[in-house]
Amino acid sequence: MANASGFCTPTVPSLRRRVSSSSLGIYRSGFCSSTVISRRVLCSSTTEGVTTPSESHLSRLVGKGCKLVGCGSAVPKFQVSNDDLAKFVETNDEWISVRTGIRNRRVLTGDDSLTGLAIESARKALEMAQVDADDVDLVLLCTSTPEDLFGSAPQIQKALGCKKNPLAYDITAACSGFVLGLVSASCYIRGGGFQNVLVIGADALSRYVDWTDRGTCILFGDAAGAACDSKEDGLFGFDLHSDGDGQRFVLLFSWEMNSPQILFVNNIRNTNLFFCRHLNAAIKVKETDHAAESNGSVLGFPPKSSSYSCIQMNGNEVFRFAVRVVPQTIESSLQKAGLTSSSIDWLLLHQANKRILDAVATRLEIPLERVISNLANYGNTSAASIPLALDEAVRSGKVQPGHTIAAAGFGAGLTWGSAILRWG
């Protein structure tokens, strides 16, 4: 289960002079840093200095921002190597590592749970940020694999001991989830008066993998990560997108004697057909008890119970999609932040495939030694991959306070987005 948390803390710095219109840039989407406005993302806020009534009104409108103020991570104990996979699927370590850059992944087993990893990563983020659970105003769980159909965020809020019953809810955006969560947190801080927002990314993709399909089982793992920032401007610009046309698929049904299902793809009449343009795990309807249907019930009622199919992916399409849109979204975020790629200290991408990481870095003219990656150890952990990699880079001393990071996620939906942020 991939899991990640992030914290944001807004600050309202001293405004001892009236702010001119030239000192602020306001964009249709994303943020522009200001010379007088400080931004933070975990999200605890302070007010400094004395302001006039008009200045106070301005600070309420645009003076708050997000800054990551801590990070944490958690992974399952059980490790599956490429050699382990070769024991039950036709593959080998060289074949996997050359094509993906992955050598190991962690998988939930036994009593491990998505919620447990989320809680552990969140607690580490709170500890680094020095924020008490009672001071959390909002919990955002970014996940495509919750353990409760109606969302898992409230259970995490309860386990953390948030006694004031802050709002907690799930966000579904697949591998882009954590970036979307950070931007959502900033919107609550900027426009809603929230102060401490906990952003968690969690995905147990191993539960939806066909472990006999070497095209997908080699890619995914479970993990948890969390991120929080510090005092000055922390989130400078962002850019978010989705494209439903990239998720063209047909639900997988089966013919039944009394209730045949007719499916249509591109105006072609089909049955038992599944089409995947990029990446998805569609609803699969289970066969019902024929005795129940023959007992005078209306055809098609009661509804059939359903589950999700295993993950389906078109690897070539995903690669072409990612190397096209990820550089574009990062360049857009940099433009909104008033920065260039030369201003980036680290490139932090969703950890999907080493070839994608290298291709994006090359197109942005960022040296490979400035690309943060732990893909070899964990594989694709979906919404957890960005904060998990960030946490390891921070705790190892690679990422230092003041470093500027370009982060980008991309995945099923299709969804993609980026954010330019500063650590520490």
Side-chain angles (χ1 to χ4, degrees), residues 47-281:
T47 303
E48 303 172 4
V50 179
T51 64
T52 66
S54 60
E55 290 169 339
S56 176
H57 175 69
L58 175 63
S59 71
R60 286 199 303 272
L61 290 177
V62 295
K64 291 185 178 181
C66 281
K67 178 161 187 159
L68 300 176
V69 293
C71 59
S73 62
V75 297
K77 295 179 181 179
F78 188 69
Q79 177 175 284
V80 179
S81 68
N82 291 345
D83 290 332
D84 293 329
L85 290 177
K87 296 176 182 178
F88 57 90
V89 68
E90 186 179 353
T91 190
N92 58 64
D93 177 66
E94 181 181 6
W95 191 90
I96 298 172
S97 59
V98 168
R99 287 164 175 77
T100 68
I102 300 169
R103 292 190 177 275
N104 297 286
R105 69 282 296 148
R106 300 296 181 93
V107 175
L108 288 170
T109 58
D111 295 331
D112 290 341
S113 70
L114 175 75
T115 303
L117 287 184
I119 293 166
E120 182 179 352
S121 64
R123 282 175 174 162
K124 290 179 180 178
L126 288 171
E127 181 180 2
M128 180 181 287
Q130 298 182 345
V131 172
D132 189 87
D134 281 345
D135 294 326
V136 174
D137 298 311
L138 174 66
V139 178
L140 300 176
L141 174 61
C142 307
T143 182
S144 298
T145 58
E147 292 180 330
D148 187 315
L149 174 64
F150 301 107
S152 297
Q155 287 73 46
I156 296 171
Q157 174 243 72
K158 174 180 172 61
L160 290 174
C162 304
K163 298 178 182 178
K164 297 179 182 178
N165 297 325
L167 175 64
Y169 65 89
D170 291 12
I171 294 176
T172 302
C175 304
S176 308
F178 193 77
V179 172
L180 180 58
L182 290 180
V183 174
S184 298
S186 73
C187 292
Y188 277 98
I189 293 167
R190 290 168 179 269
F194 286 61
Q195 298 188 33
N196 301 313
V197 180
L198 176 62
V199 182
I200 305 169
D203 278 302
L205 292 183
S206 67
R207 296 172 174 173
Y208 298 90
V209 166
D210 178 357
W211 290 97
T212 65
D213 175 17
R214 75 170 185 171
T216 55
C217 75
I218 64 173
L219 301 175
F220 300 103
D222 306 331
C228 311
D229 221 326
S230 112
K231 293 181 180 178
E232 300 176 357
D233 284 3
L235 181 59
F236 301 137
F238 68 84
D239 181 67
L240 302 173
H241 299 273
S242 63
D243 176 13
D245 186 55
Q247 177 78 336
R248 288 183 294 177
F249 65 91
V250 177
L251 303 188
L252 181 62
F253 288 102
S254 61
W255 275 96
E256 295 185 17
M257 183 66 69
N258 296 321
S259 58
Q261 301 292 328
I262 308 299
L263 310 181
F264 294 87
V265 183
N266 295 333
N267 298 318
I268 300 176
R269 192 181 191 204
N270 297 277
T271 59
N272 293 322
L273 175 65
F274 188 96
F275 175 78
C276 174
R277 178 181 172 187
H278 285 89
L279 173 67
N280 59 56

Side-chain angles (χ1 to χ4, degrees), residues 363-401:
R363 296 195 180 192
L364 291 172
E365 298 183 346
I366 296 175
L368 295 182
E369 59 267 22
R370 286 162 52 193
V371 178
I372 297 173
S373 178
N374 60 0
L375 177 67
N377 297 325
Y378 302 109
N380 181 341
T381 58
S382 191
S385 70
I386 289 176
L388 173 62
L390 176 61
D391 182 49
E392 290 193 342
V394 169
R395 293 179 186 272
S396 68
K398 178 182 290 187
V399 173
Q400 295 290 323

Side-chain angles (χ1 to χ4, degrees), residues 1-52:
M1 142 194 351
N3 194 334
S5 328
F7 246 150
C8 312
T9 302
T11 58
V12 181
S14 176
L15 297 177
R16 299 184 183 276
R17 55 184 169 80
R18 186 174 299 275
V19 180
S20 67
S21 60
S22 61
S23 68
L24 289 176
I26 301 177
Y27 292 84
R28 182 170 176 263
S29 65
F31 303 141
C32 176
S33 61
S34 162
T35 58
V36 296
I37 300 233
S38 177
R39 301 177 170 85
R40 302 181 57 165
V41 177
L42 170 136
C43 299
S44 76
S45 73
T46 59
T47 303
E48 303 172 4
V50 179
T51 64
T52 66

